[in-house]
Amino acid sequence: MEKEQLKKQLKEQIVQFLNLMQVKPEDIKDDEPLFGEGLGLDSIDSIELIVLLNREYGIDIKDPKEGRKVLVDVNTMVDYIEAHRTK
Amino acid sequence: MFYIHHTSCISPQKTFADIDIENAKAPVENKLLVVEPVYESIPLNILRRMGKAVRISVGAALPICRQNMDGIIIGTANGGMEDCIKFLNQIIEYDEGMLTPTNFVQSTTNAVAGQIGLLTSNRGYNCTHVHRGLAFENAVIDVDMLLKENTSNKYLLGGVDEISAYNYNIELLGNWYKKEKISGSNLYESNSPGTIAGEGVAMFSVSSVQSNALAAMQGIRILHSEDENQVAEILQKFIQQNIHPGEKIDLLLSGENGDSRFLKYYEACEKVTGKEISVGRFKHVFGEYPTVSALAVWLACNILKEQSIPEHLLKYCSAKKKFSKILIYNNYKGIQHSFILLSKA
Amino acid sequence: MTRILVTGMGIISAIGDGIDANRTSLSQGKTGIGQSSLLSSRYASLLPFGEIKISTQSFREKLLVNEQGITRTSLIALHAFGQAIDDSKLTAQEIHSYNTALIGASTVGGMCLTDELYHDANKHDEGSAYLSSYDCGSVDMFLQQRYHINGVVDTINTACSSSANAIMHGARLIHHGLAERAIVGGVDSLAKFTINGFNALHILSDEICTPFDEKRKGLNLGEGAGFLVLEKEENVHNKNVYAELSGYCNSNDAFHPSSLSDDGEGPYLAMKGALTKANLAADEIDFINAHGTGTENNDEKESIAMIRLFEKIPAFISTKSYTGHTLGAAGAIEAVFSILSLYNGEVYPEINFSSPIVTTGLTPVRSYQKKDLQHVMSNSFGFGGNCSSLIFSKA
């Protein structure tokens, strides 16, 4: 899949998976921080995103702390998906 | 004895913003589902995770929590059961593989009291009573003790349960619901086992201060029994203890629910209260569920405030039209019984 | 105000059936956490559990429970409840009195039957025998009916602090004249539902837990039940008395749904409030049975709270390295352990401890010792920030 298409798909999945109300996928900037500022997600969301990566892309991240290094913004997530996806 | 100052109710009827219980909504497929408001006071970031029971509880609680409560006491038999079944389905669907934790965290029965505490930064006493049809009543007893221990405190007291796939199907399989279609007050004429499903939340801010109170919670008594004579005897004692010479009960709010198996308890209690006391019923508008007595208390407060009761709620009307003392009798599945006495403050 | 005395106790856990067996395991530093043999779950062989090595069917036979639809949780509760009643020598008249309260606690209820629940909730068949046994209240409904309890009956679920709150609630009912005596406690059994829930939060350890250790990796789940009989001093006469319940307090951390605040405010307020209620200074506490789950968050924040409150930290351990985290039963089981320490003048060792948490530097008791104790504190801090602290004093 082409990178831009993957970014679009991922943003839709994030919104749906985390049930982000009144956030449109297209409003999420590629380099907008997911945690803290930006989208303002928390530790439970980081676990949920790890599950998302597993279910949609067959990626296995065992340690949530390791996961946080991947889950910085859409760019880092997409890079990781491209490198590690098994689905 | 304590005083109720503010009430808030989200139910299958118009009980939240514009209160209108004259024009009652009928059950649909024998279910009375809540009418949810738009939740302006819940941050979207937190709202997105909430199941219905937590959502309506927080939605009802926040408007009356502004006055800095000293604690939160909730009665709920099933808590966030919608989230429970979602998590359960995940366990089976993914064969105990990688699962998302939100459903689990939100499904715990103390998610309601916990979330309200979180959103109001409340570090006071926090408790969730879950004893099925007496969950709310046990919360009332808890709050009564708290106010005697801390006479200048204010507490949030509430009762909530939701119809969810989980408990609706289980109750259906257990033959707790009517097989025939119920359209409203024909619930009471149906002469068959079963009732209709309901859900809702009522929240109260309570204190020991009488001035400006809406109502006084004068007494409460709970009982487990399958003997209607014992139930009547306890009611007799309850009345003797709480109604003094010269005082009278004006209305019996009965939790009669159309289930023919349990009519005997209501008949026994009505025999005790006698023909001089009007009888009202509420389950054709609120449905049946473990903590519906919280809605009954809300309704009683409303009647005491408005000094009137909609016709469709009346089973039997005596000559008296003034309301200063209301007795609520409820039972859940013919085993758990409660008597609650409310009076004008 | 009347003194509330503990006149009977009942307990079953991974380290033993009954107070003597539990005391023996504690004194010998013998854990009950290990490989599960009864659990039906993908994690049965992958994670250690504090399992009671008695099958559900064996419980039914032992307890003469013939009716259908009684869950493992209810059976375990019945077992410990019966022990407590016998231990306190309550008469039939007292048990059935309108003045005898039963306050129980559970977080699992009948959800230990995860598969049956799944089928019933999704209406796959005609309905199992357990239709009215899934909620937490089902346990105390069962006990109420079995023993004909006619006073106040209640079930509390505030996650890990549930049975500590049940003990508190029973004592308060007595203080307010709503009961003369209260049988209080809690139960939980191992359930696929909770195992998967905690696993989804990444807080289960694949090794036996190491509370308060720098290298702690998480908690182990356990099952069990504990019940106490609380009576007013004037009713006790010549009975054996284990301890006085002299202080208690509940407060809310209000920080996050599943982790404690940085300064451990909820635990701090609960402990401080219990001291106030008991009219004790912090330095009068001789021993603490800590919540100590073995998770990164809890043990550090609990340590911080203890450091804030106690100028000199009393001797403390967490018994969760023996029994696992028994959730709804934890408050009651650990109350029993605290009372055993107090009553017998001894302190049990923390097992699996190597080195203290670097940021807080606290070291629990490392070996069994005889120690004269006057006041013991037992703490339980739960999901949703619900924090409870109990103080038992020498009667």
Side-chain angles (χ1 to χ4, degrees), chain B residues 168-185:
Chain B
Y168 183 78
N169 286 338
I170 287 168
E171 297 295 284
L172 191 65
L173 288 172
N175 298 314
W176 293 105
Y177 297 133
K178 292 273 185 219
K179 304 231 182 316
E180 67 271 31
K181 184 170 166 357
I182 298 296
S183 57
S185 56

Side-chain angles (χ1 to χ4, degrees), chain B residues 117-129:
Chain B
L118 209 58
L119 286 166
T120 56
S121 300
N122 190 296
R123 292 200 149 133
Y125 182 88
N126 192 294
C127 200
T128 304
H129 297 267

Side-chain angles (χ1 to χ4, degrees), chain C residues 7-174:
Chain C
T7 58
M9 302 199 289
I11 182 170
I12 182 163
S13 74
I15 59 169
D17 180 359
I19 50 185
D20 291 339
N22 275 269
R23 183 181 167 213
T24 301
S25 296
L26 290 167
S27 305
Q28 294 174 354
K30 209 159 140 240
T31 185
I33 300 169
Q35 172 89 23
S36 146
S37 53
L38 300 169
L39 202 51
S40 143
S41 161
R42 161 203 281 234
Y43 298 102
S45 55
L46 297 175
L47 299 170
F49 294 98
E51 185 176 69
I52 298 170
K53 301 291 183 218
I54 300 173
S55 72
T56 304
Q57 183 52 31
S58 299
F59 270 119
R60 286 179 64 89
E61 285 159 17
K62 242 193 230 276
L63 297 166
L64 304 172
V65 172
N66 300 315
E67 61 264 49
Q68 292 305 303
I70 307 301
T71 66
R72 181 178 178 79
T73 312
S74 290
L75 293 167
I76 291 173
L78 180 63
H79 189 75
F81 185 87
Q83 283 179 6
I85 298 257
D86 290 344
D87 193 30
S88 77
K89 300 186 173 32
L90 287 181
T91 63
Q93 194 182 23
E94 286 170 329
I95 293 168
H96 307 317
S97 157
Y98 281 123
N99 290 316
T100 298
L102 158 59
I103 314 297
S106 176
T107 67
V108 170
M111 295 202 294
C112 48
L113 294 163
T114 310
D115 294 325
E116 284 83 346
L117 174 57
Y118 173 74
H119 291 299
D120 284 338
N122 287 296
K123 221 170 57 161
H124 287 158
D125 316 288
E126 293 304 305
S128 75
Y130 299 96
L131 290 171
S132 52
S133 309
Y134 293 120
D135 62 335
C136 301
S138 63
V139 177
D140 300 296
M141 292 294 291
F142 173 63
L143 294 175
Q144 185 276 322
Q145 287 175 316
R146 188 93 175 173
Y147 277 88
H148 305 292
I149 307 288
N150 285 307
V152 173
V153 179
D154 188 15
T155 311
I156 290 177
N157 182 351
T158 54
C160 320
S161 56
S162 298
S163 48
N165 286 333
I167 291 170
M168 205 180 312
H169 195 71
R172 290 166 62 226
L173 287 170
I174 297 172

